[in-house]
Amino acid sequence: MKKDTYQNPLIERYTSREMSAIFSPDKKFTTWRELWIALAEAEKELGLDITQEQIDELKAHKDDINYEVARAREKEVRHDVMSHVYAYGVQCPKAKGIIHLGATSAYVGDNTDIIQIRAGLTLLKHKIADLLSRLSVFALENKDVPTLGFTHFQPAQLTTVGKRATLWMQDFYFDYLDVCQLIDSLMMLGVKGTTGTQASFLDLFDGDHEKVKELDRKVVKKMGFEKSIPVSGQTYTRKIDAGCSQRYRSERSQDDERYPSPAASERSRGAF
């Protein structure tokens, strides 16, 4: 079974290779390991008894996921995260005691979700920009091609195919702005513990709240984010999922695809 693409009949049929790779098992589990490395580094920097040798061992095995070991372990413990903690420890015997130290399952699960969502949105942003560039060429090429405009599905006045294309572009431009805003607003879950109180980390740092806050900041920065969610339970708020699941579509362009002029139909064939 392939691990570098997300497996699903609809995904295989309709999704780009790039997007499928972002949500693949390889991306998911290497990101888990990156999060464990970031946590260990931050804990070491804040004074916990973690050695550079242990961190180097974790880094050396970040990308070679031992899926068979994890799968066999999961049959015993029935827990995906603990199975991969165990599998990573098999590869890193010196560091196995510090993997996932103080963390809960959502530390890797939810933070990885946010990282993958941002990567997917970033790919979408680039694809919309490319589409806008192609549509601009199409609009200029067809600026003098007449077509009949409709209102309420009734013939109205003449316009041009190029003019109609600028309306599609405007819709996609607003989609582009929405995607950019979503990317900029995304925050990691961070290091929050079992119920969002960070109690396990406070225990590790002898009740030092400032060190725990700094731990959260350090991990978030190491993973390429600016902020973490200020208040949470074990998981990040699902309002983020709701905001990211909006469908970006141009109704005007879809209607024009249904009711094109004959000239526009011929000239646009194969344009995209």
Side-chain angles (χ1 to χ4, degrees):
M1 181 177 177
K2 294 189 295 184
K3 301 295 184 182
D4 61 346
T5 56
Y6 184 73
Q7 298 296 301
N8 180 290
L10 296 179
I11 296 297
E12 293 173 357
R13 188 176 302 151
Y14 299 116
T15 303
S16 69
R17 174 76 181 185
E18 304 100 305
M19 188 67 79
S20 182
I22 288 171
F23 292 93
S24 67
D26 280 349
K27 177 63 175 177
K28 174 181 177 179
F29 294 119
T30 56
T31 303
W32 281 17
R33 293 188 172 192
E34 288 172 6
L35 283 159
W36 283 325
I37 292 167
L39 180 62
E41 286 181 330
E43 289 174 335
K44 175 182 181 294
E45 291 165 8
L46 291 168
L48 293 191
D49 187 18
I50 295 171
T51 67
Q52 188 59 46
E53 183 182 19
Q54 289 173 311
I55 291 172
D56 290 342
E57 187 178 50
L58 292 176
K59 290 181 176 180
H61 294 280
K62 177 177 71 71
D63 296 320
D64 55 324
I65 311 295
N66 46 347
Y67 287 104
E68 292 74 17
V69 175
R71 190 178 300 113
R73 184 66 172 177
E74 188 167 355
K75 289 181 179 179
E76 298 177 24
V77 300
R78 302 297 182 185
H79 197 292
D80 57 344
V81 175
M82 290 301 101
S83 299
H84 277 269
V85 169
Y86 173 83
Y88 204 7
V90 169
Q91 293 175 313
C92 306
K94 295 177 183 177
K96 66 179 180 180
I98 64 162
I99 299 170
H100 201 68
L101 185 59
T104 190
S105 298
Y107 169 68
V108 288
D110 279 40
N111 280 315
T112 295
D113 285 348
I114 293 289
I115 290 166
Q116 289 177 304
I117 287 169
R118 187 175 71 168
L121 287 170
T122 300
L123 177 61
L124 180 59
K125 181 182 78 169
H126 294 322
K127 285 184 176 292
I128 295 174
D130 181 61
L131 176 59
L132 285 169
S133 176
R134 292 170 183 244
L135 280 172
S136 68
V137 173
F138 176 82
L140 289 171
E141 288 177 347
N142 291 276
K143 65 181 181 179
D144 297 321
V145 177
T147 189
L148 187 58
F150 282 67
T151 65
H152 302 87
F153 298 106
Q154 300 299 315
Q157 292 179 342
L158 285 174
T159 182
T160 69
V161 174
K163 170 60 166 57
R164 297 297 298 179
T166 64
L167 299 178
W168 312 338
M169 291 175 65
Q170 180 172 253
D171 285 354
F172 284 119
Y173 174 65
F174 288 143
D175 289 340
Y176 178 86
L177 294 179
D178 284 344
V179 171
C180 290
Q181 190 277 329
L182 269 174
I183 292 170
D184 292 341
S185 68
L186 281 177
M187 295 180 280
M188 278 182 63
L189 170 65
V191 180
K192 296 298 192 291
T194 306
T195 59
T197 64
Q198 300 178 306
S200 56
F201 297 104
L202 283 167
D203 187 52
L204 284 173
F205 288 100
D206 299 320
D208 191 328
H209 286 264
E210 292 306 313
K211 278 193 174 182
V212 173
K213 290 178 183 177
E214 184 62 19
L215 177 69
D216 188 82
R217 287 190 289 265
K218 281 179 173 289
V219 168
V220 167
K221 186 174 182 179
K222 287 175 184 292
M223 296 307 298
F225 282 73
E226 295 297 323
K227 296 179 181 179
S228 68
I229 294 170
V231 179
S232 75
Q234 180 177 164
T235 65
Y236 65 77
T237 172
R238 296 316 179 206
K239 291 289 244 180
I240 293 176
D241 294 337
C244 293
S245 64
Q246 298 174 32
R247 293 181 179 178
Y248 297 100
R249 59 194 291 266
S250 172
E251 293 185 7
R252 193 181 302 277
S253 66
Q254 290 178 357
D255 287 343
D256 284 355
E257 287 166 7
R258 292 191 188 99
Y259 310 108
S261 71
S265 179
E266 286 302 313
R267 296 189 61 159
S268 63
R269 197 181 308 276
F272 307 112

